Amino acid sequence: MASRRRDKHLLPGFGLTLGVTMTYLGIIVLLPILAMLLKTGALGWEQFWRIATAPRTLAAYRITFGSAAIATLFNGAFGLLLAWVLVRYEFPGRRLLDALVDLPFALPTAVAGLTLVTLFSANGWYGQLLEPLGLAVNYTQAGIVVAMTFTSIPFVVRTVQPVLEDLEGDLEEAAWTLGASRLQVFTRVIWPTILPAFITGCVLSFARSLGEFGAVVFIAGNLPGLTEIVSLLIYIRLDEYNYPAAAALASILLGVAFLTLLATNLLQGWQLRYVERRK
Amino acid sequence: MTDSAAAKRRPGPVGRLLIGVALLGALLTLVVPLAAIFAFALREGLGVYFANILEPNTVHAIWLTGLTALVVLPINIGFGICAAWAVTRFRFPGRQVLITLIDIPFSVSPIVAGVAYLFLYGAQGLLGPALQGAGIQLMFTVFAIILVSLFVTAPFVARELIPLMQQQGSEDEEAALSLGANGWQMFRYVTLPNIRWALVYGAVLCNARVMGEFGAVSVVSGAIRGRTNTLPLQISLLFNDFNIAGAFAAASTLALLAVVTLVLKSALEASGWR
């Protein structure tokens, strides 16, 4: 890049904007996180470990991670389908569908939770269809999965869609001319190209599901050991004035968030290299 | 997302099947829930609906949510512009780290954000005793709601501006300076027009998130009826009171906001800057 070689003080505002950015990030983002980590650090390793491995904590992690994994699996498949259909075909309602995909991002999670619990209640629109089949969603783990699924629908669609759009047609045509079947074109040409974006979308979707709170608390019923997610356990510990436990649990969730941030950064690097190599 | 060079074609049999499954999925997961909100809110007629919305605690929650957005939005727009200017117009050590730091609030669970603020400003927090000594109560007030909202939505504007400004480069701005513009004139007449749509786009998304934030706000607000209850908290309170019609009436205002957000977003994307 040419700008790399330019005198960096040619443009004005370096000190001002960098100063404002760092001060603001320091006060608004880093200081509270630091305070929480200090609180956790004060616990000592032994107490931290006891909180982190308590049966109720482990159950909450199992439920949270398990539900997030199922939600991500669904959204991986559904998101890929939506992205494919939106990019590849022209059909009535395509633009509307494209806009609607972002609804879960635009709709507050409390509204989503309220709506889902009402839809799946015994006499709700969905509940009355499922109840005769013996399928209960509200106040079960299925409810958690439903809530997590709804709130993370857009991730895979929005990461895969631009890559599919940029996919050069000539590559596919070449494969066609060389006698590749439809399936071969997809598995050998298209799939390897969209894979990094697809995985990035899945990681983002999984991370969002791990941290989801608003939608889940409405529908989960919040029974310890059965439908209690980590975010809710943190909330309950705060309510009980058990601050050490809340700090420890929140710090673990923060650690997981950092890992996903790291993972998505690495994945984006992989994707960039992939794109460069193909050019 | 704009239409791309990738040729769209009329679907064959397989294509029609895929489109059918996608539309059915979208109907069940997106359209029905959205329609249900308004159906449930209006089920007992317009009179009851408006009575529910005009219930004093709900009106207060709407006001508080609006106030929070009014304070948070300009601050995070300012921050977004500063951050984007700093990381796209200059090279400095730690630049990549700074870009990652800006993204932190995106990957942190809102509950964690709330807990972090509690351990900073709360009675048992890092600065709690000092604040208490000075007679300042931050937690469980409007200020706490505003602070966590600033945290949660800090990256929204910045992350729209950074890729755009990176791609645009600084030639226009350098030209303006060499023609004798001062820093403010350069920003006002060159930078701002170049980034205005991305700025609006980021602000629209930021606003939706501020008004809808639940987890972080529920930790620090204390949820005192008629005092520190934002609209999402009010929905939860009404729901727990078994006032379903009231909850949906309150929810419909936020659902309307979501619809407006989606319309603005599509319009901005169709305008072609993305």
Side-chain angles (χ1 to χ4, degrees):
Chain A
M1 256 174 257
S3 59
R4 215 182 273 267
R5 285 190 299 274
R6 263 181 218 131
D7 175 13
K8 68 177 181 179
H9 292 299
L10 183 65
L11 289 168
F14 178 65
L16 176 73
T17 56
L18 188 65
V20 169
T21 304
M22 290 185 35
T23 310
Y24 186 79
L25 275 180
I27 293 174
I28 293 294
V29 177
L30 298 179
L31 194 59
I33 290 179
L34 187 72
M36 187 180 81
L37 292 177
L38 281 176
K39 193 83 183 171
T40 310
L43 292 178
W45 178 249
E46 209 173 309
Q47 203 187 349
F48 176 81
W49 187 250
R50 205 168 51 240
I51 294 166
T53 59
R56 189 168 168 186
T57 312
L58 291 179
Y61 275 103
R62 206 174 49 240
I63 293 158
T64 310
F65 278 78
S67 309
I70 302 171
T72 306
L73 227 55
F74 175 85
N75 275 336
F78 186 44
L80 197 58
L81 175 69
L82 281 176
W84 181 262
V85 162
L86 284 172
V87 173
R88 287 307 175 107
Y89 302 116
E90 192 51 68
F91 57 95
R94 193 184 65 82
R95 288 200 161 277
L96 188 65
L97 180 63
D98 198 5
L100 212 56
V101 164
D102 284 320
L103 177 70
F105 283 170
L107 197 68
T109 54
V111 178
L114 172 74
T115 310
L116 292 173
V117 74
T118 310
L119 282 175
F120 282 101
S121 70
N123 53 0
W125 295 357
Y126 290 167
Q128 60 185 353
L129 299 175
L130 295 175
E131 195 169 49
L133 307 172
L135 297 172
V137 170
N138 285 358
Y139 316 123
T140 70
Q141 198 182 350
I144 302 177
V145 174
V146 165
M148 286 178 172
T149 303
F150 177 82
T151 48
S152 54
I153 287 174
F155 284 104
V156 173
V157 189
R158 293 308 187 216
T159 46
V160 170
Q161 200 176 13
V163 183
L164 262 183
E165 273 173 356
D166 284 345
L167 200 70
E168 303 100 302
D170 19 334
L171 225 66
E172 266 173 74
E173 271 162 39
W176 285 107
T177 3
L178 292 170
S181 73
R182 242 180 148 127
L183 191 67
Q184 280 173 323
V185 171
F186 185 81
T187 55
R188 302 276 177 84
V189 179
I190 299 170
W191 181 244
T193 316
I194 60 176
L195 187 62
F198 176 72
I199 296 176
T200 305
C202 287
V203 171
L204 290 172
S205 172
F206 185 71
R208 172 65 197 263
S209 293
L210 287 185
E212 185 47 43
F213 176 73
V216 176
V217 287
F218 276 85
I219 201 169
N222 315 327
L223 300 166
L226 288 173
T227 59
E228 187 176 67
I229 55 165
V230 181
S231 310
L232 183 73
L233 185 57
I234 295 171
Y235 196 81
I236 289 171
R237 293 301 186 221
L238 284 177
D239 245 15
E240 298 167 349
Y241 301 104
N242 187 349
Y243 295 115
L249 293 170
S251 297
I252 297 172
L253 216 49
L254 181 73
V256 176
F258 274 123
L259 283 182
T260 53
L261 192 63
L262 194 69
T264 45
N265 275 359
L266 290 175
L267 281 166
Q268 263 147 16
W270 176 31
Q271 193 178 333
L272 270 179
R273 278 198 304 280
Y274 201 93
V275 171
E276 305 273 297
R277 203 164 60 223
R278 292 192 65 130
K279 272 181 182 163
Chain B
M1 307 282 149
T2 51
D3 291 330
S4 71
K8 286 195 177 47
R9 48 168 201 234
R10 292 191 171 282
V14 179
R16 275 202 292 273
L17 179 72
L18 292 177
I19 293 168
V21 176
L23 285 177
L24 183 69
L27 182 75
L28 291 176
T29 59
L30 300 168
V31 179
V32 170
L34 183 61
I37 300 166
F38 296 104
F40 292 140
L42 295 167
R43 187 151 56 181
E44 286 162 46
L46 273 176
V48 177
Y49 175 73
F50 283 112
N52 275 325
I53 293 219
L54 295 175
E55 200 272 322
N57 284 339
T58 299
V59 170
H60 187 270
I62 293 174
W63 181 82
L64 192 57
T65 294
L67 175 75
T68 307
L70 219 57
V71 177
V72 169
L73 214 50
I75 295 178
N76 274 343
I77 288 174
F79 165 70
I81 293 173
C82 279
W85 183 260
V87 302
T88 62
R89 292 299 180 257
F90 307 99
R91 304 275 148 178
F92 51 91
R95 180 176 158 274
Q96 205 54 48
V97 178
L98 192 61
I99 295 178
T100 310
L101 284 182
I102 294 170
D103 261 350
I104 284 182
F106 261 137
S107 38
V108 171
S109 164
I111 283 286
V112 174
V115 171
Y117 267 88
L118 209 57
F119 287 132
L120 181 59
Y121 297 115
Q124 65 295 325
L126 195 61
L127 304 179
L131 286 174
Q132 239 165 8
I136 300 170
Q137 168 73 25
L138 270 181
M139 280 299 113
F140 316 122
T141 68
V142 180
F143 292 107
I145 294 174
I146 289 172
L147 282 173
V148 285
S149 302
L150 285 174
F151 177 103
V152 171
T153 61
F156 276 84
V157 174
R159 81 157 12 191
E160 293 304 328
L161 294 185
I162 289 172
L164 179 75
M165 287 172 68
Q166 194 110 53
Q167 181 207 330
Q168 282 176 344
S170 53
E171 277 80 9
D172 288 0
E173 279 123 5
E174 280 159 21
L177 289 176
S178 66
L179 291 172
N182 63 31
W184 168 249
Q185 287 169 327
M186 171 211 68
F187 176 75
R188 172 70 187 79
Y189 297 107
V190 179
T191 310
L192 205 53
N194 276 342
I195 62 170
R196 62 172 184 253
W197 295 124
L199 198 61
V200 175
Y201 189 89
V204 166
L205 297 185
C206 182
N207 179 59
R209 183 60 195 268
V210 173
M211 291 196 164
E213 181 47 40
F214 179 77
V217 171
S218 68
V219 172
V220 302
S221 84
I224 305 160
R225 277 172 215 245
R227 284 189 47 208
T228 58
N229 235 4
T230 61
L231 209 34
L233 296 178
Q234 174 71 3
I235 292 169
S236 158
L237 255 175
L238 291 168
F239 176 72
N240 289 329
D241 288 349
F242 301 106
N243 183 354
I244 305 299
F248 272 104
S252 72
T253 57
L254 286 174
L256 205 62
L257 171 77
V259 172
V260 171
T261 303
L262 289 183
V263 170
L264 283 176
K265 197 168 172 293
S266 309
L268 284 166
E269 278 162 3
S271 76
W273 61 269
R274 244 174 112 95

